[in-house]
Amino acid sequence: STVMELGAGQGAVSLSVAARRGAGRVISVERNASMLELLRVNVARNQGVVGDVDVVVEDVDLRQHRTKLTSHCASLVLCNPPYFPLGQRRVSQHEERADAHHERHGTLEDFLRAAAYCLVHRGWLKMILPPWRLADVTGALPGDLKLCTLRFVHAEPGAPAYLMEVVCRRGSAPDLEVRAPLFVR
């Protein structure tokens, strides 16, 4: 099976998945030039760790996913989309940070469309987002991508959630399970 990471950055998640799976293919998608270079370096340096896993690096603007990515190729898509729509917070002067935190080159909806396009039928999408983006996620889900599980991440018991794990499935029934919270400390 194939795992795809959209917005892979320097490749920490892609390489972690590749090292744990032991077989299969991991496709890392990144468009920021400096992050793409770090991703390529990290893939090359970790070739012995990931063994026979094929890590493919693509430079893709997610708004053009239909011309750059293969449809129905991944059983799992992972992503950590930018948290802030343009205009909601001050944009960092550091290009990598600005691209990672703000929807400068693709919106949450663009990430969802690209994921749905790449997923096989009954394939999974896992995303990490701040909780205040939940309404945006549910409002932007493409027709055949359904929200399956939701899990809130807290620094410690009693603290408000600062992240959430959203799991969707292509071709699934609209059943939602809210999982037990995850406490970091």
Side-chain angles (χ1 to χ4, degrees):
S1 63
T2 299
V3 175
M4 178 181 287
E5 183 183 11
L6 300 176
Q10 78 281 8
V13 172
S14 291
L15 289 170
S16 294
V17 169
R20 288 184 182 159
R21 296 184 68 243
R25 185 172 187 217
V26 176
I27 302 171
S28 302
V29 179
E30 179 57 51
R31 66 147 314 278
N32 180 282
S34 58
M35 287 289 108
L36 191 59
E37 182 57 31
L38 284 172
L39 176 58
R40 286 187 174 117
V41 167
N42 286 334
V43 167
R45 284 185 180 166
N46 288 282
Q47 210 54 45
V49 175
V50 297
D52 60 348
V53 176
D54 179 23
V55 180
V56 179
V57 179
E58 297 285 345
D59 181 7
V60 176
D61 182 330
L62 291 180
R63 291 172 285 199
Q64 298 160 356
H65 64 273
R66 289 184 177 273
T67 60
K68 300 279 188 164
L69 299 174
T70 305
S71 67
H72 313 300
C73 67
S75 55
L76 172 63
V77 173
L78 304 169
C79 65
N80 182 0
Y83 293 169
F84 307 110
L86 284 177
Q88 281 205 350
R89 300 261 170 116
R90 183 182 67 80
V91 177
S92 174
Q93 293 181 3
H94 296 92
E95 185 177 344
E96 294 84 11
R97 200 171 284 166
D99 282 351
H101 295 171
H102 295 273
E103 295 178 339
R104 295 178 358 141
H105 303 288
T107 64
L108 176 59
E109 191 170 357
D110 294 326
F111 274 83
L112 291 168
R113 280 192 200 131
Y117 180 76
C118 295
L119 281 171
V120 299
H121 181 68
R122 309 284 290 159
W124 298 92
L125 165 64
K126 290 189 176 192
M127 297 185 297
I128 302 294
L129 290 161
W132 60 268
R133 294 297 310 256
L134 181 58
D136 297 334
V137 170
T138 57
L141 282 174
D144 67 341
L145 200 58
K146 304 294 185 215
L147 186 59
C148 292
T149 66
L150 189 60
R151 182 179 205 176
F152 293 98
V153 180
H154 305 257
E156 55 195 31
Y162 67 96
L163 288 175
M164 65 179 177
E165 176 192 58
V166 176
V167 179
C168 301
R169 193 165 194 192
R170 185 168 185 209
S172 177
D175 296 327
L176 174 63
E177 173 189 342
V178 178
R179 297 180 63 201
L182 174 65
F183 300 109
V184 177
R185 289 188 291 275

